[in-house]
Amino acid sequence: MNKNVLVTGGTRGMGEAIVKEFAQNGYNIIINYVKSNEKAISLKSQIEKEYKIKVLLIQADLSYEDEISKMVKTALQEFGKIDVLVNNAGIVIDKEFVDRTVEDWKQTLNVNLIAPFILTKLIGKEMVKQKNGTIINISSTNGIDTYYPSSVDYDASKSGLISLTYDSAVEFAPYVRVNCIAPGWVNTEMNKELDEEFVKEETERILVKRFGEVEEIAKVVYFLASDNASFINSSVIKVDGGWY
Ligand code: NAD
């Protein structure tokens, strides 16, 4: 029987690459998305045809607890179980430190940290019942050791996600492995507004002298979900090309 994975923010960027990686490996996929209806429908039809797997699209804004709960309920009703949860969705609001508002903080924390907590709570419990499952959180090197005052709330949310990883690994042991990936700079829409000079400076600081590609993150996510990573638990893996 095929395994099932739920990927949040699964229609573009890293999320889309993660969806394709799991599809390629025979997983049925629950794709959460918030806005891009057309993109979601075309992605579903493309990967169902190409990989002969089932895709369930669920539109849900992760800023709202009721939409998250409804999504989990629908996913369990339709697919019966969730074997892998990938907390990928995230937002960044670029604004000077001193201009940042409490509303900015709340918006960022809701999507980047509180939504992963709610999903981990709801799905982790189910994984314990089925005595099997794994959760992968997409944090960031901003949550570890790269600091940008203009994304202070984002950085805090990504540090929080690392704490959530450790705490939920303890909470759901021994049946559920919970791990975290901390990507460095990756070429996605999230970075499309970055200043050219800033990109040049950051690229100089990366040992491989380039930004990463989404597939390079997706492969690590799939590895962590697979049996090849059966002894990796409560870990944070930096995937950043070596940043100094
Ligand atoms: P992206 O902006 O292309 O993707 C973010 C996804 O999250 C989108 O699909 C978006 O629709 C979804 N999303 C945002 N708000 C949502 C909401 N309220 N409800 C549901 N979905 C929502 O960027 P990406 O680079 O692919 O980001 C994926 C993850 O990787 C994020 O958590 C991001 O913080 C993290 N990350 C990115 C980088 C990078 O350099 N691109 C580096 C480190 C970590």
Side-chain angles (χ1 to χ4, degrees), residues 8-15 32-36 60-63 87-92 111-112 138-142 154 158 161 181-191 211 214:
T8 64
T11 52
R12 69 176 214 194
M14 286 183 212
N32 157 252
Y33 69 103
V34 64
K35 283 193 197 123
S36 46
D61 185 334
L62 301 181
S63 317
N87 282 313
N88 163 74
I91 54 168
V92 63
V111 178
N112 293 10
I138 308 297
S139 175
S140 165
T141 48
N142 287 38
Y154 176 85
K158 293 301 186 180
L161 200 49
I181 293 178
W185 291 113
V186 178
N187 286 317
T188 68
E189 294 273 312
M190 191 172 263
N191 296 326
F211 278 28
V214 288

Side-chain angles (χ1 to χ4, degrees), residues 34-242:
V34 64
K35 283 193 197 123
S36 46
N37 228 332
E38 256 174 53
K39 177 68 199 284
I41 292 167
S42 80
L43 180 63
K44 171 179 158 78
S45 97
Q46 182 207 333
I47 59 178
E48 277 186 337
K49 219 180 284 160
E50 196 167 341
Y51 302 113
K52 314 274 177 268
I53 47 122
K54 279 198 289 185
V55 173
L56 174 65
L57 298 175
I58 307 185
Q59 188 166 19
D61 185 334
L62 301 181
S63 317
Y64 301 103
E65 185 173 10
D66 58 335
E67 296 200 21
I68 300 173
S69 310
K70 232 169 85 190
M71 170 168 75
V72 173
K73 209 167 151 204
T74 308
L76 289 171
Q77 264 165 5
E78 296 289 321
F79 275 14
K81 68 181 171 91
I82 298 166
D83 302 279
V84 182
L85 163 65
V86 184
N87 282 313
N88 163 74
I91 54 168
V92 63
I93 302 169
D94 205 17
K95 219 188 233 185
E96 292 304 312
F97 187 101
V98 291
D99 296 332
R100 226 159 245 288
T101 62
V102 169
E103 260 327 296
D104 295 330
W105 272 83
K106 285 184 179 166
Q107 217 183 317
T108 303
L109 289 177
N110 275 339
V111 178
N112 293 10
L113 182 56
I114 298 175
F117 164 69
I118 298 167
L119 282 161
T120 298
K121 180 176 76 166
L122 296 175
I123 295 172
K125 281 195 294 195
E126 295 300 318
M127 289 175 168
V128 169
K129 275 194 230 158
Q130 72 207 23
K131 297 191 173 174
N132 170 54
T134 183
I135 298 173
I136 294 125
N137 294 320
I138 308 297
S139 175
S140 165
T141 48
N142 287 38
I144 306 176
D145 58 4
T146 62
Y147 311 118
Y148 305 96
S150 63
S151 61
V152 57
D153 49 3
Y154 176 85
D155 300 355
S157 74
K158 293 301 186 180
S159 294
L161 200 49
I162 292 173
S163 295
L164 176 67
T165 302
Y166 295 144
D167 287 333
S168 40
V170 173
E171 177 68 22
F172 297 121
Y175 300 116
V176 184
R177 290 186 299 110
V178 188
N179 289 297
C180 185
I181 293 178
W185 291 113
V186 178
N187 286 317
T188 68
E189 294 273 312
M190 191 172 263
N191 296 326
K192 72 174 193 305
E193 307 279 310
L194 289 178
D195 177 74
E196 220 174 288
E197 199 46 43
F198 178 74
V199 170
K200 229 165 113 187
E201 283 166 21
E202 288 296 310
T203 305
E204 263 318 296
R205 302 182 74 167
I206 302 169
L207 295 177
V208 300
K209 299 295 173 215
R210 63 175 177 84
F211 278 28
E213 298 302 334
V214 288
E215 293 77 14
E216 294 176 300
I217 305 298
K219 287 200 183 304
V220 185
V221 174
Y222 181 72
F223 163 71
L224 284 177
S226 75
D227 288 343
N228 289 329
S230 51
F231 201 51
I232 302 180
N233 193 13
S234 192
S235 284
V236 181
I237 299 184
K238 278 209 248 181
V239 186
D240 65 353

